[in-house]
Amino acid sequence: MSSKLKTPAKKDSVNSSKAPIWPLVIVSLYALTEFFPQLQAVDVMGSQWLFAACLTLITLVLLFKHGLKLHSDILRNGAVMLLGGSTLIGGLSFFAAFNAVESLVTYCRFLTMVIGFINVLLLIYHYPNTIRGAIPVIAVVLVLQSLYELSHFLE
């Protein structure tokens, strides 16, 4: 009788050699949201928020399609707990706001980014090699942002 323990087989979606490309594309698109053009919108950031909201919706559909669920390890993270608390406080502060419409718009934008942040966490949690491909994209975004800010500072 063999005393070897059988380890459960890993899903193909998590295996690094067969990891899909879509998580890397999603994380890269979140990083590149700042460069989305204004498209003659009245609000300076309006088109970027619309892009982020559509990307969040597409990401949620893909996460549900691939059966990726929120893991309890993610919820126990201190940063996620802090983000959840600030989201709750922001939602409750809506009832004390002077300008309810602006408060609702701002809270919707904040909620969109909270869901987007959790989406990125889920993608990195379920596909750990995604971060390796996303780091060069994030680095280029940071360099471009830094150069832009330095050029305005030095004028």
Side-chain angles (χ1 to χ4, degrees):
M1 195 151 129
S2 174
S3 63
K4 289 184 180 180
L5 294 174
K6 292 184 179 181
T7 57
K10 291 185 176 181
K11 291 181 182 179
D12 287 339
S13 63
V14 180
N15 190 352
S16 63
S17 63
K18 296 181 182 179
I21 192 75
W22 67 269
L24 174 61
V25 171
I26 295 289
V27 172
S28 298
L29 285 174
Y30 272 115
L32 294 170
T33 300
E34 178 183 350
F35 300 109
F36 197 78
Q38 189 176 349
L39 300 176
Q40 299 177 353
V42 175
D43 187 0
V44 176
M45 299 181 303
S47 59
Q48 293 173 348
W49 286 109
L50 181 62
F51 175 74
C54 291
L55 182 60
T56 299
L57 183 64
I58 290 168
T59 306
L60 285 172
V61 168
L62 287 170
L63 288 173
F64 285 124
K65 179 183 173 193
H66 291 282
L68 302 179
K69 296 190 168 95
L70 192 59
H71 199 270
S72 62
D73 289 344
I74 295 173
L75 293 176
R76 283 189 235 139
N77 185 311
V80 174
M81 291 173 70
L82 184 64
L83 185 62
S86 63
T87 304
L88 181 66
I89 291 170
L92 293 175
S93 70
F94 169 74
F95 296 107
F98 291 115
N99 188 346
V101 174
E102 185 65 29
S103 178
L104 183 62
V105 168
T106 304
Y107 186 69
C108 287
R109 289 178 173 182
F110 180 65
L111 197 58
T112 298
M113 294 320 301
V114 167
I115 295 169
F117 178 74
I118 292 173
N119 286 345
V120 170
L121 283 179
L122 277 170
L123 290 173
I124 291 171
Y125 182 82
H126 288 287
Y127 302 103
N129 288 333
T130 299
I131 196 69
R132 283 191 185 146
I135 285 175
V137 175
I138 294 169
V140 168
V141 168
L142 288 175
V143 167
L144 291 175
Q145 285 176 336
S146 299
L147 291 174
Y148 178 76
E149 294 300 325
L150 281 173
S151 69
H152 284 305
F153 178 74
L154 297 174
E155 286 181 353

